[in-house]
Amino acid sequence: MSKRTVKKTMTIILSSIGAVFIIALASLLVISGIFESAKYLEPWQKTYSQKFDDPRIQLAAHGLLAANGHNMQPWKIRLDKDDPMVFYLYADNDRLPNEVDPFARQMIITQGTFLEYVKIAGDELGYKAAVELFPNGGYDEQILQASMKIKPVAKIRLTKDQPQNNPLYDSLFLPDTNRAAYQSDKLTSEQIDQLEATNTDVNMSIKIFQDKENIEKQGSYAMKSATIEAGVSRVMQETDTIFRANEYQKNKYRYGFSVEGQGTSGIMQHILQGLVTVFPSLNSGKAASEMFIQSTRTSVDNTPAYAMIITNDNSRSSQVKSGMLYSRLVLTAHRLGLVMQPLSQVLEEYPEMKEPYSGIHRDYASDGGTIQMLVRLGKPTKEVPQSMRGDVMDLIIRE
């Protein structure tokens, strides 16, 4: 075979390989839904709430952006029929992840994050939002899920007021969680003072740690609990059921997890989405467990500081208030150029997590308090995309 023939043959082979690659890539992008409009991101637009005339829905549209456990967005609202300035917030028990949150503690904290966003948005839009917790009494814990359906977490009464510039308002529209690596810079004393000042409740405390001993100890708890969780198949399966592999699924469900939660964006996001749609095993079973552990390792190895929210008791009201405090904390962090990520596994209350749960409470809440939140914080190394959000009208209880 002549050199010319060999060269021509190689050219044909390379061209064929290139064509196959392009076709495969294009197929993955189509499967990912690259041309699909991301309706699940519409609530992040500052103009989104302006589509509604009712101020209660306008404020709920802001509450929808709040941090929430497992991105389940477990909120329902009932508009008072007789008073156009009153509405009620309910915990949506249909969105309760029973395996990781068997006592609904994280779900009730999530009610508080919503309420604080409502209050902050109220300042900006010219409404004072007065919050009354459990106006119809507390839950019957023996029939918790049934009780959630009939008893509101909060009654919110609006009073027309002059719009006020709330310094935290613009931060409502930023992603609440950044799972990427953080810069190694320690927090300044001024930053710590401002973060700690977000708490004004004597029954709660914020503790910030950035010394080597506590960084290593809390990182160890995070890794141990992540390893335990990765090995509990029913927990990982629960997570898998709320994973949205592509744009079509994200637009259909608008809650749960997706690949951009790990910071993937742009063309790589769509390639990965296409791959996990075609090959679901890439994001389930052993692969998912290993990915989760590796993600936690990256977080732990690149964390300059941790923070805890600790309450004196573990009442439902304290859980809600800790969520309200967490919203103020993360929004203040944004203003200071910082980002945060909850490391919630060690605080979860299913049987396999008992040992590290008891250990971290023994080390950091030995006086009988409850650690409601453990988070890492620091300066980001990169921005992360916004996560899915539902339509605010889907929160309304139809009567």
Side-chain angles (χ1 to χ4, degrees):
M1 184 180 293
S2 67
K3 290 184 178 180
R4 180 177 295 179
T5 302
V6 171
K7 185 175 182 181
K8 185 176 181 180
T9 302
M10 290 301 298
T11 301
I12 293 172
I13 292 172
L14 292 173
S15 297
S16 299
I17 293 173
V20 170
F21 174 78
I22 291 171
I23 292 170
L25 178 60
S27 298
L28 287 176
L29 296 179
V30 171
I31 291 169
S32 167
I34 193 169
F35 300 114
E36 183 85 352
S37 176
K39 295 179 181 179
Y40 58 85
L41 292 180
E42 289 177 357
W44 289 101
Q45 299 171 7
K46 281 192 174 182
T47 57
Y48 176 72
S49 66
Q50 298 172 14
K51 300 194 310 184
F52 310 101
D53 295 327
D54 191 319
R56 298 171 295 183
I57 298 178
Q58 290 178 355
L59 296 187
H62 288 81
L64 184 65
L65 304 179
N68 60 98
H70 314 286
N71 197 26
M72 294 300 286
Q73 303 166 48
W75 306 299
K76 285 290 185 181
I77 60 173
R78 180 169 62 82
L79 305 178
D80 193 294
K81 293 181 178 179
D82 300 318
D83 191 332
M85 300 292 273
V86 170
F87 66 108
Y88 299 84
L89 173 67
Y90 291 77
D92 183 1
N93 70 300
D94 291 334
R95 296 279 181 90
L96 175 63
N98 290 288
E99 298 298 342
V100 295
D101 194 18
F103 304 117
R105 183 187 62 84
Q106 293 181 57
M107 173 179 269
I108 302 305
I109 291 174
T110 290
Q111 306 307 305
T113 63
F114 181 99
L115 290 169
E116 192 64 25
Y117 270 45
V118 165
K119 288 171 63 70
I120 291 168
D123 291 342
E124 195 78 16
L125 273 60
Y127 295 95
K128 181 179 179 181
V131 174
E132 178 186 354
L133 297 182
F134 298 101
N136 296 346
Y139 292 143
D140 182 339
E141 299 290 340
Q142 301 304 311
I143 50 170
L144 178 59
Q145 296 205 33
S147 195
M148 285 179 175
K149 284 188 177 295
I150 60 175
K151 290 192 174 184
V153 174
K155 176 181 180 180
I156 303 99
R157 178 178 294 279
L158 307 182
T159 305
K160 196 72 180 76
D161 200 1
Q162 290 296 320
Q164 301 176 27
N165 178 29
N166 190 309
L168 300 181
Y169 181 76
D170 286 341
S171 295
L172 298 181
F173 303 93
L174 299 175
D176 54 87
T177 300
N178 187 316
R179 295 181 176 85
Y182 297 167
Q183 297 178 33
S184 59
D185 307 52
K186 299 291 186 182
L187 277 61
T188 66
S189 57
E190 182 180 353
Q191 287 173 327
I192 292 174
D193 288 345
Q194 290 190 50
L195 291 170
E196 291 178 340
T198 59
N199 178 43
T200 57
D201 191 324
V202 296
N203 294 312
M204 292 192 293
S205 62
I206 294 174
K207 295 183 179 180
I208 296 175
F209 308 89
Q210 53 182 356
D211 61 287
K212 183 179 179 181
E213 179 182 353
N214 280 299
I215 290 291
E216 291 180 351
K217 182 184 290 186
Q218 292 175 38
S220 177
Y221 274 121
M223 283 307 306
K224 184 172 185 177
S225 60
T227 302
I228 290 172
E229 183 142 309
V232 181
S233 59
R234 70 180 189 282
V235 171
M236 297 304 291
Q237 288 169 6
E238 183 176 65
T239 300
D240 187 49
T241 61
I242 57 171
F243 178 75
R244 316 307 178 196
N246 52 57
E247 298 301 295
Y248 309 105
Q249 292 181 10
K250 287 190 281 185
N251 274 335
K252 178 180 179 180
Y253 296 103
R254 298 178 64 158
Y255 71 93
F257 296 122
S258 54
V259 299
E260 65 265 36
Q262 299 300 326
T264 307
S265 59
I267 194 72
M268 287 306 300
Q269 172 189 325
H270 288 287
I271 292 174
L272 186 54
Q273 287 185 166
L275 286 171
V276 297
T277 300
V278 176
F279 306 106
S281 61
L282 292 174
N283 197 66
S284 62
K286 183 178 179 181
S289 295
E290 291 176 350
M291 191 183 309
F292 175 54
I293 292 172
Q294 181 55 49
S295 174
T296 305
R297 170 56 65 192
T298 299
S299 296
V300 166
D301 287 348
N302 295 276
T303 295
Y306 289 97
M308 290 181 181
I309 293 176
I310 304 174
T311 55
N312 290 351
D313 60 41
N314 197 26
S315 67
R316 294 300 185 185
S317 291
S318 290
Q319 292 168 5
V320 176
K321 290 176 182 177
S322 68
M324 297 177 77
L325 174 56
Y326 180 71
S327 280
R328 295 194 298 275
L329 185 66
V330 70
L331 295 173
T332 300
H334 283 318
R335 287 191 64 240
L336 298 173
L338 304 171
V339 292
M340 297 171 60
Q341 176 196 355
L343 296 171
S344 57
Q345 288 72 36
V346 70
L347 303 179
E348 290 168 349
E349 296 148 293
Y350 57 89
E352 291 86 346
M353 203 61 72
K354 182 177 180 180
E355 191 275 328
Y357 178 93
S358 298
I360 197 169
H361 279 82
R362 183 176 59 250
D363 288 343
Y364 294 101
S366 58
D367 57 354
T370 299
I371 305 171
Q372 302 291 355
M373 298 291 296
L374 168 66
V375 300
R376 55 188 286 258
L377 69 160
K379 292 182 180 179
T381 58
K382 66 176 182 178
E383 295 182 359
V384 296
Q386 295 158 328
S387 54
M388 293 175 282
R389 286 299 186 274
D391 187 325
V392 68
M393 296 305 293
D394 290 338
L395 302 187
I396 297 176
I397 297 172
R398 309 292 180 179
E399 297 177 305

